[in-house]
Amino acid sequence: MTAVPVMIGVRAPLLQDRSRVADGAALGTALVDTHGRVHRDLRVSLTDRCSLRCTYCMPEQGNEWLARSSILSLDEIERIARVAAADGVTTFRLTGGEPLLRPDIVDVVRRLGAIEGPGGPVQLAMTTNGIRLAALLPDLIDAGLHRLNISIDTLDRERFRELTRRDRLDDVLEGIAAAAASGLRPLKLNTVAMRGVNDDELPDLVAFAVAHGAELRFIEQMPLDAGHTWDRAQMVTRDEILAALADRWELTPIPGRGGAPAERWTLDGGPHTVGIIASVTAPFCGDCDRLRLTADGQLRNCLFSTTEYDLVPILRSEDASDDDIDRMLRSCVHGKLPGHAINDPSFLQPARGMNAIGG
């Protein structure tokens, strides 16, 4: 089968010679792009549906959900994951939408957590809004979950309701408390910093994370909302976040970031830390080691890519082999650009919103 990228809004050229795309690489060799970046992290979106309607992500009503028939089955996800692990991917992160809305989520964790690559067992992480976490966490841990990121943008009940259009703060806090009481470490809490929304809470959110044995990670707001209403002026920048925190703590940079998306600092010399993912003002594209798989089987080599690589025809063909999946992975990696170009006037926001891409 020929690897065919699907370009959102643009007709894609056919990649006629797959072996040349991968420089002759075969199943079981590292996924290296044309800029020398080795890819070790696969973000796996399990659904585009979510129990919240965060204003920076999706509208409250009128969302066009993926057809259920297009959502990858557990067998299909596991097959892709096994090929990726053989090619050197060492971490799978389960995302959404909200991954805990998937009915077979415990089975997904159990099956993916059992995968081993050339270097041993994979690491399995999850990003969640925490709403169903308290009830499911014991089973998730038993199934093999290693790490958690939980999203929380405010500690104020009314502000939470306005921001998420749902009155579910108590459920999120219960989920965070359950995670804090578990043995899953490191535990991270994710906050999108927004001007005039939660920028007055930034130090309080860090203190809340510290009290729960977690690291707060601030995220610069990115152009990934389904309504395409992102406004750079409303984004709280990395430097503004650091200035707000410096009023309460002495911040010391932690070296050795590698391919991690977050810059990190110790608070008053440690042991507690804080991180910032500054995709807009301080891009880290040069060290990016991530690929993404959408819930409907599209590979993406960048969060902001306008190109997708369709695995569904391979997965649902009787004649396709794991080598075909491997070649599609390599085509996707080969097509990765040096950076996302958010700050370039020619930048185009992806057609999909964040909930349909996967965090």
Side-chain angles (χ1 to χ4, degrees):
M1 299 184 66
T2 302
V4 183
V6 177
M7 297 183 70
I8 307 304
V10 182
R11 188 171 181 82
L14 190 65
L15 298 182
Q16 300 288 355
D17 188 344
R18 296 171 304 174
S19 61
R20 189 181 305 163
V21 165
D23 291 328
L27 179 64
T29 57
L31 298 170
V32 185
D33 68 14
T34 59
H35 307 283
R37 295 169 295 198
V38 181
H39 291 71
R40 303 183 180 89
D41 187 308
L42 179 64
R43 309 293 171 102
V44 181
S45 177
L46 301 179
T47 178
D48 63 329
R49 296 173 185 266
C50 188
S51 42
L52 300 177
R53 296 291 183 272
C54 295
T55 56
Y56 57 81
C57 186
M58 67 175 82
E60 183 173 12
Q61 297 178 345
N63 292 285
E64 296 184 6
W65 307 113
L66 295 172
R68 293 192 182 277
S69 60
S70 72
I71 302 296
L72 295 183
S73 69
L74 175 49
D75 287 343
E76 291 169 336
I77 294 171
E78 182 184 13
R79 185 181 179 192
I80 297 167
R82 287 192 178 280
V83 173
D87 288 340
V89 170
T90 57
T91 299
F92 298 119
R93 176 171 293 279
L94 304 179
T95 69
E98 172 47 48
L100 295 183
L101 290 180
R102 180 144 174 155
D104 60 352
I105 182 60
V106 175
D107 291 332
V108 172
V109 170
R110 182 173 291 110
R111 296 264 290 270
L112 296 193
I115 293 175
E116 294 196 20
V122 299
Q123 284 287 303
L124 192 60
M126 179 185 293
T127 298
T128 172
N129 63 27
I131 286 177
R132 301 189 67 216
L133 187 59
L136 291 171
L137 188 56
D139 289 339
L140 293 171
I141 293 173
D142 182 66
L145 185 67
H146 296 113
R147 303 197 306 271
L148 269 173
N149 288 39
I150 305 171
S151 300
I152 182 164
D153 296 322
T154 178
L155 300 171
D156 180 271
R157 185 175 310 282
E158 181 58 24
R159 186 175 286 180
F160 184 93
R161 188 191 65 76
E162 292 177 355
L163 180 61
T164 68
R165 303 183 179 107
R166 300 290 187 271
D167 188 12
R168 305 298 297 272
L169 178 60
D170 287 344
D171 297 309
V172 176
L173 295 177
E174 185 180 3
I176 292 172
S182 77
L184 296 184
R185 293 295 185 276
L187 174 63
K188 298 172 183 177
L189 305 184
N190 292 347
T191 295
V192 178
M194 292 163 281
R195 193 176 312 284
V197 177
N198 64 354
D199 52 343
D200 60 334
E201 285 189 80
L202 305 187
D204 291 340
L205 283 159
V206 172
F208 173 81
V210 167
H212 287 80
E215 176 183 280
L216 202 295
R217 301 203 317 172
F218 291 107
I219 302 171
E220 286 184 341
Q221 189 175 356
M222 296 175 282
L224 289 167
D225 59 300
H228 290 206
T229 60
W230 179 75
D231 180 0
R232 182 184 293 269
Q234 295 302 114
M235 181 191 73
V236 181
T237 68
R238 166 190 179 275
D239 290 347
E240 290 175 301
I241 295 168
L242 289 174
L245 302 185
D247 287 340
R248 188 175 301 189
W249 296 280
E250 179 183 349
L251 303 174
T252 304
I254 299 174
R257 174 181 179 179
E263 294 179 86
R264 301 172 65 232
W265 292 260
T266 59
L267 303 170
D268 291 340
H272 302 298
T273 58
V274 66
I276 301 177
I277 300 175
S279 299
V280 179
T281 65
F284 44 90
C285 303
D287 294 311
C288 180
D289 65 352
R290 287 170 294 289
L291 296 172
R292 284 177 166 79
L293 175 67
T294 67
D296 58 345
Q298 309 300 309
L299 280 171
R300 299 175 63 92
N301 54 34
C302 177
L303 189 58
F304 302 98
S305 179
T306 55
T307 306
E308 295 182 339
Y309 296 74
D310 190 359
L311 279 169
V312 174
I314 295 174
L315 296 168
R316 299 182 182 176
S317 168
E318 295 181 358
D319 301 325
S321 69
D322 287 353
D323 286 333
D324 292 296
I325 297 174
D326 171 76
R327 282 188 284 265
M328 187 67 89
L329 283 166
R330 295 185 190 282
S331 291
C332 181
V333 168
H334 183 270
K336 189 165 184 171
L337 298 175
H340 55 51
I342 285 178
N343 297 303
D344 190 285
S346 64
F347 173 76
L348 293 176
Q349 183 170 337
R352 291 187 191 242
M354 186 68 166
N355 66 298
I357 294 174

